[in-house]
Amino acid sequence: MTVSSRCICTAIDAKALAKIIEGPAGGATYIDSHPWIVARELLDEVTAGAERLPLIFATGNPIVFSHWAFVATIDVRELHHGFWETRCEIGALKPVNPIWESIDSIVLAPSAEQLHREHVEPVHTHRQMLDEQHIWPYAVCETPAFVTDA
């Protein structure tokens, strides 16, 4: 399977990331209290196209990218009215190379309309860099070059 052109980026507490890193080498579960409904839809779309969806973690103060993994499943449940749990099953974590650690080294994914316009009209490509306000609870971004199938 190939890597999707889009990925998910999220902020994670350093202790939670350490727990994932110290866990089983083959994969882990990331749990969030926000409903990752669009992320689950993206995973379904990517999987249907025989692609893999990367999840990139940022942590620290200042926040920087630390690790990434491919998403196996995203399960969203409403525990009771207004309270949610999202469980992301991920593969083995890989460290992010220090040259890609900066939060603004990744760009937000453009809309379908923007991509279509860039394709059919003589307009310049316009992208917005990721920042701390857009990463919580997660951001849909263009997959950076450091994410590979290897």
Side-chain angles (χ1 to χ4, degrees):
M1 287 202 288
T2 61
V3 177
S4 170
S5 63
R6 292 174 288 171
C7 68
I8 302 295
C9 296
T10 191
I12 186 171
D13 179 74
K15 289 180 182 178
L17 181 61
K19 185 176 178 182
I20 291 172
I21 292 169
E22 293 167 3
T29 302
Y30 171 68
I31 300 172
D32 193 4
S33 60
H34 183 84
W36 287 30
I37 296 167
V38 172
R40 184 184 59 206
E41 291 171 353
L42 177 59
L43 178 62
D44 292 344
E45 177 185 325
V46 164
T47 303
E51 295 179 323
R52 298 171 76 187
L53 182 66
L55 173 60
I56 305 171
F57 291 110
T59 192
N61 189 12
I63 194 165
V64 294
F65 288 116
S66 172
H67 291 79
W68 69 274
F70 287 112
V71 178
T73 63
I74 297 176
D75 182 34
V76 181
R77 296 181 188 180
E78 186 172 18
L79 301 176
H80 49 88
H81 185 69
F83 291 92
W84 297 84
E85 179 182 81
T86 297
R87 299 174 77 78
C88 297
E89 299 294 329
I90 59 173
L93 284 178
K94 298 172 183 143
V96 171
N97 186 302
I99 65 170
W100 290 96
E101 285 181 346
S102 175
I103 194 95
D104 63 0
S105 67
I106 295 180
V107 298
L108 292 167
S111 68
E113 293 79 13
Q114 178 66 24
L115 290 173
H116 178 65
R117 184 169 182 227
E118 291 170 4
H119 179 72
V120 299
E121 296 179 7
V123 296
H124 295 288
T125 301
H126 175 74
R127 298 292 182 268
Q128 180 179 351
M129 305 312 284
L130 184 60
D131 59 34
E132 289 188 43
Q133 285 120 15
H134 289 103
I135 200 168
W136 190 92
Y138 68 91
V140 178
C141 299
E142 290 185 339
T143 299
F146 68 81
V147 173
T148 64
D149 236 355

